[in-house]
Amino acid sequence: MEAMEDDSSEVKDDHNHNYCGGKVRAALSSQVPDGVGAPEPVCPTVPGGEPAKRQAKPWSGSPRGSKFMDSDTGSESSEVSEPDCSAASTEDKFRLDSTSKFLLNAMAIEDYRKNHWPNLEEAIDRLLIQNFSDHISVSYAQIYGYVYKCVCQQHSELLYSDLTSKITAHLQQVSTQLQASPTENLIENFNIALTQYLASLQCIVPVFIYLNKFYIESKLNRDLKEDLMKLFADHVAEEHLSKLMPLLIKAHSMPFQVQPSTMASVVKGLYSLRPEWAQLAPALFSSFIPQIHPPAVESQLHDYADRDRKLQMELSMKGFPRGDQSRKRASEDS
């Protein structure tokens, strides 16, 4: 009991309740040699060869940036701060994260090239070269699933580039085949190529709707179908327009030289590709598409009547009779 009382008498409580008795201070001071300060924490070397800065202020036992009171004198000491070792560790962590992201991205692209795109490419080929008389078994749900995964894995730009490149290569082959087509069959073969391409888009555009919604519309401010139609206009229609347009005008002046359904399909198809092409042959396009000509004006009614009489005369000279008008009047009178 006396020993305990002796020990307790050595413990003094200052006004900040810092208990530091004389024996405790003596024990601590005896363990540290004279002239040697408190050990400093070792900071990792900052990339670039420069070590992190170290501050030789003693540890206060209080949070960083706080002030403490000396247990003996009660005086307020200056503010201290712990060594800042976070800069090096943060930069090292950033480098590790960047490397990890790069490796993961490379692995994801490799997976796209080996697994996703080959399956999509095969399906696109089958849709582009399909024969309407053949039954093609294509799993649209599977294609949509591949597209969904590619978009979710941040491959939208790569997928869009591969899709347009694939269709462009196909259209260039179609254009080459049309160049080898005989002149008298150009209208018919062009109609077949356009009709088949439009039918393919009816299958391709819906399964790529996720790509269209979350990349083409949101980031490119365009539409997938419009882009694919533009590809046909650039690589097929425009390449053969100089030969195709005179043939259409000639066929229009000689009725039934080309089937009316084929004429209507080609003219309407050209107008859907680029409406400005209608200005190359307004009379031709106005026969199949309304409102090509400007609205009628009352002051030009006489001109319209003259054009109608001229047209009737031309048809009569080409062997198209106007009919027995006397019999028609006699039937009306009766």
Side-chain angles (χ1 to χ4, degrees):
M1 290 295 291
E2 294 179 357
M4 294 178 62
E5 290 177 358
D6 293 337
D7 293 339
S8 61
S9 62
E10 294 293 331
V11 178
K12 297 181 180 180
D13 182 8
D14 61 5
H15 62 280
N16 284 329
H17 303 284
N18 294 318
Y19 298 95
C20 188
K23 291 184 178 181
V24 177
R25 286 197 301 272
L28 290 176
S29 60
S30 63
Q31 294 178 6
V32 182
D34 295 336
V36 179
E40 301 178 2
V42 180
C43 297
T45 302
V46 179
E50 294 295 332
K53 294 181 179 179
R54 289 183 283 184
Q55 299 178 358
K57 295 182 179 181
W59 176 73
S60 63
S62 60
R64 180 182 178 182
S66 61
K67 299 180 180 180
F68 69 96
M69 302 295 296
D70 184 82
S71 58
D72 294 330
T73 63
S75 60
E76 188 177 47
S77 299
S78 61
E79 184 178 358
V80 297
S81 59
E82 298 177 2
D84 189 2
C85 304
S86 60
S89 60
T90 302
E91 186 171 350
D92 292 340
K93 183 176 183 300
F94 176 76
R95 289 190 175 186
L96 291 175
D97 292 343
S98 300
T99 304
S100 301
K101 290 180 180 178
F102 176 79
L103 294 176
L104 290 175
N105 188 38
M107 293 174 61
I109 293 177
E110 183 179 1
D111 181 62
Y112 167 85
R113 289 297 184 192
K114 289 184 177 180
N115 300 321
H116 297 330
W117 174 244
N119 294 317
L120 290 172
E121 185 179 21
E122 181 181 0
I124 294 171
D125 279 332
R126 300 177 69 181
L127 293 174
L128 287 173
I129 63 176
Q130 62 178 319
N131 190 344
F132 297 108
S133 60
D134 298 337
H135 175 70
I136 299 179
S137 177
V138 176
S139 175
Y140 294 101
Q142 188 175 12
I143 300 175
Y144 181 87
Y146 285 128
V147 175
Y148 179 84
K149 290 180 181 179
C150 292
V151 174
C152 291
Q153 293 177 2
Q154 307 299 321
H155 297 318
S156 299
E157 183 178 359
L158 186 59
L159 178 60
Y160 177 75
S161 177
D162 288 339
L163 174 63
T164 53
S165 299
K166 181 66 180 178
I167 294 181
T168 299
H170 167 75
L171 293 177
Q172 290 174 348
Q173 295 179 358
V174 172
S175 180
T176 303
Q177 295 173 358
L178 289 176
Q179 288 178 355
S181 176
T183 303
E184 60 272 14
N185 297 331
L186 182 59
I187 297 177
E188 183 68 28
N189 292 337
F190 182 86
N191 180 57
I192 293 174
L194 178 59
T195 303
Q196 184 174 355
Y197 184 72
L198 293 177
S200 300
L201 293 189
Q202 292 180 356
C203 302
I204 294 175
V205 172
V207 295
F208 281 86
I209 189 173
Y210 202 75
L211 175 68
N212 184 45
K213 181 177 181 181
F214 290 95
Y215 177 72
I216 302 176
E217 290 183 354
S218 61
K219 294 187 177 181
L220 304 182
N221 296 322
R222 298 201 302 266
D223 179 74
L224 177 59
K225 185 176 181 180
E226 294 178 358
D227 286 359
L228 299 183
M229 291 288 288
K230 186 178 184 298
L231 291 179
F232 190 92
D234 293 341
H235 298 284
V236 180
E238 190 171 7
E239 294 293 327
H240 302 277
L241 189 65
S242 59
K243 295 181 179 179
L244 187 62
M245 194 62 68
L247 294 175
L248 291 171
I249 296 174
K250 181 180 179 180
H252 182 252
S253 63
M254 301 176 64
F256 301 102
Q257 182 181 3
V258 179
Q259 293 183 2
S261 59
T262 302
M263 287 288 296
S265 176
V266 173
V267 173
K268 291 180 179 179
L270 292 175
Y271 185 79
S272 64
L273 293 173
R274 289 187 182 172
E276 59 269 21
W277 284 343
Q279 304 303 321
L280 300 176
L284 171 64
F285 282 83
S286 62
S287 301
F288 302 95
I289 301 173
Q291 298 181 353
I292 294 297
H293 291 296
V297 181
E298 184 178 358
S299 60
Q300 297 181 355
L301 291 178
H302 294 290
D303 296 336
Y304 301 148
D306 292 339
R307 292 177 187 175
D308 291 339
R309 284 193 294 268
K310 183 179 179 180
L311 177 60
Q312 292 176 5
M313 186 178 296
E314 291 177 356
L315 293 175
S316 178
M317 292 175 63
K318 292 179 181 180
F320 292 91
R322 296 179 59 185
D324 191 351
Q325 299 295 328
S326 61
R327 179 179 297 179
K328 181 178 180 180
R329 293 191 183 93
S331 61
E332 290 177 355
D333 294 339
S334 61

